[in-house]
Amino acid sequence: MATEIQSGKVHVQTTINGESVDFLAEPRESLLEVLRDNLGLTGAKEGCNNGNCGACNVVMDGVLVNSCCVLSVEAAGASIETIEGVASPEGLHPLQQSFLENAALQCGVCTPGFIVAAKALLEENPNPTEYEVRWWLAGNLCRCTGYDKIVRAVLDAAERMRAEA
Amino acid sequence: MAVDTRVGQTIKHHDEEYKVIGTRPIRHDGLEKVTGEARYGSDINLPGQLHGKVLRSPHAHARIVSIDTSGAEALDGVRAVITSAAFPDPGDKLTGGGEAPGLPLKFKSANMLARGKVHYHGHAIAAVAAANPHVAAEALKLIDVEYEVLDPVLEVWDAMKPDAPVIIEDLYTAKADGTTAEEASNVAAEMLYEVGDVDAGFAEADLVVDREFTFGVVHQGYIETHNATAHWLKDGHLHVWCSSQGAFTIRQELADLLDHPITKIHVVPMEIGGGFGGKTTAYLEPLAALLSRQTGHPVKMAMDRADVLKATGPTPGGYVRVKLGVTNDGMITAGYANLAFDAGGYPGSVVGAGCRCVFAPYNMPNAKVEGFDVVVNKPKTHAYRAPGATHAEFASETVVDEICRTLDIDPVEFRLKNSAKEGDWQLAMPPYPRIGHIECMEAARDSAQWQTPLETAPGKKRGRGIASGFWFNIGFTSSVTAKLNSDGSVTLLEGSTDIGGTRTSIAMQFAETLGISVEDVDPIVADTDSVGQTDVTGGSRVTFATGLAAHNAANDMKDQIVEGLADLWDVAADSITHADGTFSANGNSATVGEAAGLLEEEGVFPIGKNTVTPTREGGAFAVHIADVEVDDETGKVEVLRYTAVQDAGVAIYPPYVEGQMQGGVVQGVGWALNEEYVYDDDGHLLNASLLDYRMPTALDVPNIETIIVEVPNPGHPYGVRGVGEVPIVPPPAAMANAIHDATGVRMSHLPMSPARVQAALAAEA
Amino acid sequence: MATVHIPTPMREATDGAARVEIEGATVREVVERLEASFPGLGGRLVEDGQIRPGLSAFVDGANVGRRLRTKLQPESELFFVEALGGG
């Protein structure tokens, strides 16, 4: 059985972490693949490739998405925020600092996804309850920490950010 | 009421005061991990790199009649296709180093790419290298394999029947007495451990409880999938970048499997996204190496999640029977256990460790334990955090709870009364050294949770359970090389891949010994060419053994500094004292930093080094308390509150000790309540995704309260006991005992999924 | 005399004795004399001059792995145990 290989590439113009970015992609390539393999933004990780683990979380036009479930061509005209854009030249984001201080990571492979997801939460709800944090982060799997220190880190960061606001 | 577990409780049974040990610095590799800059195996991309993919068997048990790769080879973009023929003939060789040395190499080789026969659904058949992963995936569809499908054998109790189809035609049981069976069967090995007189012990008992338990297969569930990139140079040098628990183990396996000189193999450990025992062996590395040799290009391979679940090494399902005899006043008189674990498609399950853990928390005057390692048509199983102990102690701790209920004895009192302690006999082992089971049990008894009555709610079935757990911990070999820089900072090379903050726990021990701050130590996980032999990050051994190597290396460096200063100050070396990081003699004194500067001027640059194979691991005990609520309509069990108590020896880096405890608990809760491989009758794995293989989310668990107990291990200068594994052991039993407390129903299978709990409730009603 | 604890399944070779006393300055010497006193027993512990792959020796509570040169004290206690791996 012969299988036809699709090879026509599509030109996509998009914005990533505030910068205008152009790339060529096959229509079958996911946004995650393009970020990691074409653009060298390897902070988003593949844990499942079907939207169950959240390790590839990015924010697209203000919405938290699993980039493994977005086709790269759908990024055309969109504004995308990845883990690489979370820290500023001045320093770490309060969530990143809080993850460090609360020991909220072990192997660290799920950490970028958690931080991107938690940032999206705090932008929508600056004062979440513990339950709301757990509910929001239920799309991100961590196998190392048992979530305890992650949840505390997010609550801690929220408090710092409210104090600074 | 919210309990602050950010800094958990610590109960010390020693008077040592340390400057660095026991503090909570920010881990050295933390920054890169919160910014996404840390480089994991799949993050590597090399110039000219090709991408590899693996064709896997759709059948659980089949003979491979033929493989036709010509269609794949003809596809544009495909650069190489390999089958098992690409591997050298393993002959009668045995596996070298690593976790399970001494097993026939032919089994490991055939697990890389099936040799003549398929042993499980997902067994690798062929591998392709192509210009990109999509072309490689297309090529797999063009490989034509003809199978003669055979009847699969899926459960140990079926595989052990005399008329069961024999999966490996030349497998002869290795018997406990050292002899070999004469007829082939699926039982790869039998084992027998005995202490005292078990018949006499049972004769003394007033009550004997004898129960059977069964287990589904569970996966370690690390979030990062397996990956490997290999570049085979034309002069035979092979460079491999991978995410493994042990770079040196991968190097040994590559040398064995590819019959290639170890000096030509260079393995670079990338950051690793979890392992838990599942990344202690090679899967993709040899394939990437062979594809690279054939194409002359670097080849990168990564599994998808379905590959990981189908074809890596989950931990066994199987069977455990536990029989305990006690007197009416609650003293154990005898124990018998029988464990049969599925090895998967090739021999070598973790049943032996399970056998030796089954009664470990107790002083057992009379005990007998039999074990069976059984081949079935499932993926070759591997270690998962305290391998074998969770199954075994789920069974024994459930039986202990039943005895306490029957005799109306408090479960804490029963365990304190019968607890193993220093000097008691271990099954087939030397007597226990100083251990902390009693101290853990007392801490659990005094804990906030145990002292707070379970809150009842109208119409709700709530219960509380307690359980103990034991795991040996492992020593193996570790190396550290530490270089003193001229500013007094230290670059510390170590070979243990860091899965959870061990760069820092190793650096802390070095800093403590040399008398510098942990921030002045820069710990680097080095590749196999750059540091001495270091075995896997597993067996809870890194902070223990690599930490010991760091301590020894710091002393070596200290000796060199003393020697240099003795020259400089013109004093005898033994007149120089070292306290709080300052060297003094005869009116001279220098801090480590000042000494480094002074020695630099003399052209002296101390390098402390050590390779160590410690011999006294010191076992670890844990005691857990679970409060649950059981929904009697759906059978769903919710964890309301959870406390984990554990003897860490001395907690070097407490936030990450707590993290190990909390993480182990949640893995154990997943094992207890949800996780299980689901097979159809033909041996197809039906739930090879993270949607259907359901691991706990943040919403499924509460905060996990921790109590670190410190009973120092006499086998380590800082008293360290490994902490990583034992916290997975008690959760299933603690949960089962809590479910019984809530409902009156005893669960005898893991997982205690909603459907099973509901069925058990219905049967009881 | 070192005391060697004989694993239950191998006690056929020692006429059921759970422990035997053997003279020897190293693990190797003890194993060699075990073989001489109880034919067949040494061979189950040692293979090709090495402790059998998968076994570890414990000397006075210390896991000395497969190091046959490990020195013994006159009162040493010696166990042979299956080696363990971990997760």
Side-chain angles (χ1 to χ4, degrees):
Chain A
M1 180 190 69
T3 307
E4 191 184 334
I5 306 299
Q6 300 181 30
S7 57
K9 292 201 173 183
V10 179
H11 174 213
V12 176
Q13 264 190 314
T14 187
T15 302
I16 300 179
N17 300 328
E19 308 238 351
S20 173
V21 174
D22 281 45
F23 61 81
L24 290 177
E26 292 183 36
R28 63 183 170 186
E29 286 180 310
S30 70
L31 176 58
L32 177 63
E33 282 182 89
V34 167
L35 288 173
R36 289 179 52 80
D37 297 335
N38 300 14
L39 303 175
L41 296 170
T42 55
K45 305 298 181 191
E46 179 189 318
C48 66
N49 219 21
N50 57 8
N52 285 306
C53 78
C56 66
N57 275 181
V58 301
V59 172
M60 185 163 155
D61 289 335
V63 178
L64 181 66
V65 296
N66 291 308
S67 61
C68 70
C69 295
V70 176
L71 286 173
S72 59
V73 293
E74 294 179 89
S79 176
I80 293 160
E81 294 162 46
T82 72
I83 184 66
E84 286 85 356
V86 172
S88 67
E90 289 75 48
L92 294 179
H93 185 276
L95 271 164
Q96 293 171 313
Q97 191 61 32
S98 180
F99 267 60
L100 290 178
E101 290 176 12
N102 284 277
L105 64 154
Q106 283 177 34
C107 82
V109 83
C110 70
T111 308
F114 268 95
I115 287 176
V116 167
K119 182 166 177 276
L121 164 66
L122 299 187
E123 277 162 15
E124 192 168 302
N125 177 1
N127 190 13
T129 62
E130 183 198 320
Y131 180 83
E132 286 168 337
V133 172
R134 289 186 177 276
W135 193 91
W136 183 278
L137 295 179
N140 293 78
L141 292 175
C142 170
R143 193 61 158 170
C144 297
T145 65
Y147 303 106
D148 184 304
K149 291 183 189 299
I150 292 176
V151 172
R152 285 173 193 285
V154 174
L155 291 168
D156 190 11
E159 201 179 314
R160 291 182 206 202
M161 289 166 69
R162 287 197 306 276
E164 284 166 17
Chain B
M1 188 192 71
V3 176
D4 183 9
T5 60
R6 180 172 160 186
V7 176
Q9 197 184 344
T10 299
I11 299 172
K12 295 185 180 183
H13 293 270
H14 62 90
D15 301 323
E16 297 294 337
E17 296 285 343
Y18 298 111
K19 287 206 154 55
V20 180
I21 287 168
T23 63
R24 295 174 176 252
I26 286 177
R27 62 192 276 182
H28 295 79
D29 56 329
L31 179 81
E32 292 172 27
K33 285 178 175 158
V34 298
T35 57
E37 292 163 295
R39 305 268 289 161
Y40 293 80
S42 286
D43 298 340
I44 196 167
N45 283 304
L46 299 176
Q49 164 184 288
L50 302 174
H51 294 265
K53 290 266 181 202
V54 176
L55 178 70
R56 298 185 181 281
S57 168
H59 307 295
H61 194 193
R63 227 172 281 288
I64 300 171
V65 178
S66 64
I67 305 177
D68 179 358
T69 59
S70 57
E73 283 158 6
L75 183 68
D76 192 27
V78 170
R79 308 292 284 276
V81 184
I82 57 168
T83 65
S84 64
F87 278 90
D89 179 2
D92 294 330
K93 279 192 244 172
L94 301 180
T95 52
E99 284 227 294
L103 287 171
L105 183 63
K106 64 181 180 180
F107 295 145
K108 182 166 273 189
S109 180
N111 200 33
M112 297 297 120
L113 286 176
R115 202 175 278 266
K117 203 175 169 191
V118 164
H119 288 219
Y120 55 91
H121 177 213
H123 197 159
I125 303 289
V128 172
N132 71 52
H134 295 280
V135 172
E138 295 294 336
L140 297 182
K141 297 178 193 162
L142 302 176
I143 298 173
D144 195 11
V145 186
E146 193 186 332
Y147 297 98
E148 178 197 339
V149 179
L150 305 169
D151 286 338
V153 189
L154 297 172
E155 302 294 352
V156 291
W157 42 89
D158 293 325
M160 291 173 80
K161 286 178 184 158
D163 59 345
V166 175
I167 296 168
I168 300 174
E169 286 92 346
D170 59 348
L171 183 66
Y172 302 94
T173 308
K175 296 198 168 269
D177 63 5
T179 62
T180 303
E182 283 174 12
E183 268 187 53
S185 77
N186 294 318
V187 179
E190 291 176 4
M191 43 219 84
L192 169 64
Y193 306 92
E194 204 168 13
V195 62
D197 182 340
V198 80
D199 293 333
F202 279 117
E204 282 172 36
D206 298 313
L207 171 69
V208 175
V209 175
D210 187 352
R211 297 285 177 258
E212 293 181 300
F213 303 86
T214 55
F215 300 83
V217 173
V218 294
H219 198 274
Q220 299 84 354
Y222 33 79
I223 303 302
E224 180 205 33
T225 62
H226 293 255
N227 59 77
T229 301
H231 193 188
W232 194 307
L233 305 185
K234 290 186 172 49
D235 64 0
H237 278 92
L238 169 61
H239 300 284
V240 175
W241 296 259
C242 59
S243 294
S244 168
Q245 288 177 244
F248 285 84
T249 301
I250 295 295
R251 186 179 70 162
Q252 180 70 51
E253 290 187 318
L254 286 167
D256 287 348
L257 288 165
L258 304 179
D259 196 16
H260 199 60
I262 210 160
T263 52
K264 292 206 167 183
I265 304 172
H266 169 225
V267 180
V268 182
M270 304 295 286
E271 296 298 336
I272 170 174
F276 313 108
K279 291 183 186 162
T280 52
T281 193
Y283 296 99
L284 296 177
E285 291 84 351
L287 306 184
L290 290 170
L291 289 168
S292 177
R293 185 175 66 179
Q294 202 151 321
T295 60
H297 287 259
V299 174
K300 175 175 173 175
M301 302 183 77
M303 291 193 189
D304 64 21
R305 182 54 60 175
D307 288 349
V308 171
L309 289 165
K310 279 182 194 166
T312 61
T315 222
Y319 164 93
V320 179
R321 175 183 165 201
V322 165
K323 178 179 170 188
L324 271 177
V326 292
T327 59
N328 279 331
D329 62 350
M331 291 307 293
I332 297 175
T333 61
Y336 168 78
N338 180 319
L339 295 79
F341 282 11
D342 78 49
Y346 296 98
S349 75
V350 294
V351 67
C355 289
R356 285 155 59 189
C357 286
V358 65
F359 298 130
Y362 302 104
N363 178 25
M364 299 289 293
N366 307 296
K368 179 176 175 180
V369 181
E370 294 178 276
F372 301 88
D373 181 42
V374 186
V375 174
V376 299
N377 290 117
K378 291 181 185 173
K380 166 71 181 74
T381 58
H382 269 280
Y384 176 22
R385 210 167 193 160
T390 304
H391 310 74
E393 295 177 65
F394 167 69
S396 53
E397 287 295 284
T398 302
V399 169
V400 163
D401 196 70
E402 182 174 344
I403 287 168
C404 293
R405 293 272 165 179
T406 307
L407 296 179
D408 196 23
I409 298 177
D410 179 81
V412 169
E413 287 312 310
F414 180 91
R415 288 179 173 86
L416 283 172
K417 233 165 126 165
N418 288 284
S419 176
K421 59 188 179 308
E422 184 175 1
D424 287 346
W425 285 98
Q426 295 185 78
L427 202 56
M429 293 270 288
Y432 275 113
R434 181 79 170 93
I435 48 172
H437 183 234
I438 288 174
E439 289 80 355
C440 286
M441 191 56 67
E442 288 170 346
R445 178 194 62 201
D446 299 341
S447 67
Q449 185 171 353
W450 194 253
Q451 292 298 325
T452 307
L454 188 62
E455 208 173 303
T456 56
K460 303 279 188 192
K461 286 192 158 63
R462 290 182 173 176
R464 173 171 293 169
I466 190 166
S468 294
F470 168 80
W471 175 248
F472 294 96
N473 298 331
I474 312 295
F476 289 167
T477 298
S478 282
S479 298
V480 161
T481 303
K483 303 186 285 186
L484 181 63
N485 302 315
S486 57
D487 61 356
S489 67
V490 170
T491 304
L492 187 155
L493 304 178
E494 46 113 341
S496 296
T497 41
D498 181 353
I499 317 189
T502 53
R503 281 180 179 88
T504 303
S505 67
I506 293 163
M508 289 172 79
Q509 294 176 72
F510 186 93
E512 184 76 45
T513 304
L514 192 60
I516 59 177
S517 79
V518 70
E519 289 78 15
D520 280 338
V521 183
D522 187 17
I524 311 283
V525 178
D527 60 72
T528 53
D529 285 354
S530 308
V531 69
Q533 173 70 31
T534 301
D535 291 323
V536 289
T537 294
S540 307
R541 60 175 290 281
V542 173
T543 299
F544 167 71
T546 314
L548 177 59
H551 166 77
N552 293 343
N555 276 328
D556 184 22
M557 179 179 285
K558 204 159 74 181
D559 290 347
Q560 293 175 39
I561 295 172
V562 164
E563 206 178 307
L565 290 175
D567 250 11
L568 203 63
W569 292 342
D570 199 20
V571 298
D574 59 9
S575 72
I576 298 180
T577 59
H578 173 260
D580 296 336
T582 300
F583 297 90
S584 323
N586 204 19
N588 298 302
S589 82
T591 63
V592 171
E594 289 162 352
L598 292 169
L599 295 178
E600 184 201 15
E601 289 168 21
E602 302 294 309
V604 175
F605 293 86
I607 298 177
K609 58 185 197 308
N610 185 250
T611 294
V612 67
T613 305
T615 59
R616 295 177 191 271
E617 297 86 350
F621 285 91
V623 177
H624 291 191
I625 307 163
D627 290 355
V628 305
E629 182 172 301
V630 182
D631 184 324
D632 51 10
E633 218 173 315
T634 64
K636 184 174 186 293
V637 176
E638 190 188 344
V639 188
L640 300 174
R641 187 172 181 182
Y642 204 102
T643 299
V645 184
Q646 185 175 323
D647 176 14
V650 168
I652 299 295
Y653 191 19
Y656 284 85
V657 174
E658 293 159 6
Q660 290 291 331
M661 293 164 71
Q662 292 165 332
V665 166
V666 171
Q667 283 190 320
V669 167
W671 194 341
L673 298 182
N674 283 306
E675 295 177 33
E676 178 172 33
Y677 273 30
V678 180
Y679 287 94
D680 68 15
D681 292 343
D682 297 323
H684 298 115
L685 180 61
L686 300 179
N687 59 336
S689 82
L690 291 183
L691 183 64
D692 300 314
Y693 183 85
R694 176 69 162 73
M695 308 196 295
T697 71
L699 200 54
D700 294 319
V701 287
N703 286 332
I704 309 299
E705 294 160 54
T706 60
I707 302 173
I708 298 172
V709 173
E710 294 193 339
V711 176
N713 170 15
H716 188 282
Y718 292 125
V720 176
R721 296 179 195 273
V723 298
E725 292 172 288
V726 74
I728 202 173
V729 179
M735 301 286 292
N737 295 342
I739 291 169
H740 176 267
D741 188 44
T743 64
V745 166
R746 284 275 170 214
M747 301 301 296
S748 59
H749 177 86
L750 289 186
M752 303 175 286
S753 59
R756 285 209 178 79
V757 172
Q758 193 189 37
L761 288 170
E764 188 83 358
Chain C
M1 296 284 254
T3 303
V4 184
H5 294 258
I6 308 298
T8 312
M10 299 185 186
R11 287 178 198 162
E12 207 176 298
T14 59
D15 295 327
R19 66 198 72 178
V20 296
E21 306 228 316
I22 299 278
E23 196 83 52
T26 62
V27 176
R28 182 190 301 281
E29 282 181 28
V30 164
V31 170
E32 280 167 2
R33 284 173 197 164
L34 265 179
E35 177 70 34
S37 308
F38 307 101
L41 180 59
R44 298 182 195 187
L45 305 173
V46 174
E47 200 174 85
D48 302 328
Q50 290 192 308
I51 292 181
R52 262 185 35 202
L55 281 184
S56 283
F58 279 75
V59 175
D60 300 324
N63 179 354
V64 301
R66 299 173 64 198
R67 279 157 276 168
L68 278 170
R69 291 170 53 210
T70 305
K71 290 192 171 54
L72 302 179
Q73 304 301 315
E75 304 291 316
S76 279
E77 303 259 341
L78 188 53
F79 285 78
F80 292 92
V81 183
E82 280 159 54
L84 286 170

